[in-house]
Amino acid sequence: MKNDLLQKAYDPEEFRSMAHQLVDQLADHLDNTIHEKSEKTISWNTPKDEHEFWMDYLKNGDSRQLFPEVLNHTIHIHHPKYMGHQVAPTLPITALSGMVASVLNNGMAVYEMGMAPTAMERIITDFICKKIGYDSNSNGFLTSGGTLANLTALLAARKAKLSHNVWNDGNNERLGIIVSEEAHYCVDRAARIMGLGEEGIIKIPATKDFALDTKQLESYYQKAEENGIKVFAIIGSAPSTSTGIFDDLETIANFSHKHNLWFHVDGAHGGASIFSKTYKYLVKGIDMADSVVIDGHKMMMMPALTTALLFKDGTNSHATFIQKADYLLEQSAEEDWYNLAKRTFECTKTMMSLHWFTLLKIYGAGIFDDYVNTLYDLGHQFAAIIKKDKSFDIAVEPMSNIVCFRYVNKALDNQTLNSINEKVRQALLEDGEFYIVQTKLRGIHYLRTTLMNPFTNEKHLVALLNKIKTLVHPILTQS
Ligand SMILES: *Cc1c(COP(=O)(O)O)cnc(C)c1O
């Protein structure tokens, strides 16, 4: 090859020296964050300033500083004071499986384009099916995120439960799914993508504790049917995203059975409870689900995006997308498990099974048990700390590692408190020591933490509450 730039860019020795240096930088980063040698979880910048920084860097920056600058300008999920969104502090070894996947870049659509990761994908999805409590008729695959997995599951549900084939013939019937008002917004989005429209998303009110109110299922179902909507699926959240509250999966399963509905469990966050001996009871009834979603990048310590979608009756996973793509896929009478693109939304797919298989082989499934237990326990500990402090109130007794709480003060009305809690959260973000998020529940503004870091302990949680008190003070005197 004559092209000098391409020669240089593909030079293995250049890669070797850059990679060694980067591994040192990343190991230092992990040491600084996990062991709190750095003080901040985020060095906040406005979107405008951040954009200007990188525009300038692209023109004038020192290319040797590229990765270090990325570290300076991003949120540090491995810091024990990171308590925000549900993204996992990755196990360091997944950086290595990720590197292998990036270099090899097996496309995974057909078996030849990813022999090892295809076989691994079957092994780990079979393993998860067993943990759910499914029998040997089950199977599953990995896909790019809970959002896509939920949509895929609902497409499978439509195929399995309707007498006509919407995939081939289109649809002129009014179709519906049943879901809690607290379900993740991606379920609503999936239904709209499928053409169900607003009326096809039958939202069941939540109980005062934010779980799907199973007592109202029958009346909502009957009303939908009377209105000419053919309901084909019901979704249980395990747990719902805002509050971390698990729906009663067993009762929903029985209801779905009675009306011949597809039962889907959105366990993007808490599906990993199946690995916990202590907390498995939270997903009682999950083995009766027709399909289950579990995110690897949430409660299983893997980098985004990787999601397991499991089917109780594995033939349904083959039926979803049947269409002609003969140039890619050999015709076979029996369902071939090894040509994954027949079953997934993706054509090309990353070698995501490498992460799952690596963790299973190196640490064993016990590490998922340890992780879930540590963080759910911490959620309960945090609630106990909050309840002892008169300046704070919890939204609901937590069932997992998601805890919603707010600053309260008897002298102030809810509207004022909403504004104070909103300002506190912004002040926390700009301060950068802690990172938490926020949510609105029934008109009340709450601070929201997802405890994702097993190095977070009670000391950090007390420090967070103290920090909030110091931030509230100037806000109170301002207003
Ligand atoms: C995070 C989440 C999703 C979305 O999953 P992604 O992997 O972010 O696409 C769906 N449902 C629930 C309950 C979630 O917590």
Side-chain angles (χ1 to χ4, degrees), residues 405-409 412-426 438-447 475:
F405 68 104
R406 63 173 182 150
Y407 168 79
V408 288
N409 183 329
L412 303 171
D413 62 20
N414 269 337
Q415 201 184 341
T416 313
L417 286 174
N418 278 356
S419 148
I420 289 171
N421 280 287
E422 196 173 344
K423 284 178 184 157
V424 161
R425 143 68 201 178
Q426 185 63 27
Q438 58 193 338
T439 187
K440 222 166 190 159
L441 300 170
R442 294 174 185 148
I444 303 286
H445 201 99
Y446 283 98
L447 304 169
I475 295 171

Side-chain angles (χ1 to χ4, degrees), residues 86 145-147 150 184 186 239 241 266 268-269 295 297-298 305 307:
Q86 297 151 277
T147 299
N150 280 329
H184 193 274
C186 74
T241 305
D266 180 2
H269 181 82
D295 273 352
H297 50 282
K298 285 183 177 164
L305 279 174
T307 298

Side-chain angles (χ1 to χ4, degrees), residues 2-19:
K2 288 249 172 59
N3 186 304
D4 288 346
L5 179 59
L6 287 172
Q7 282 285 2
K8 183 174 155 50
Y10 276 105
D11 181 8
E13 292 314 315
E14 176 122 344
F15 168 70
R16 193 190 307 277
S17 82
M18 282 173 78

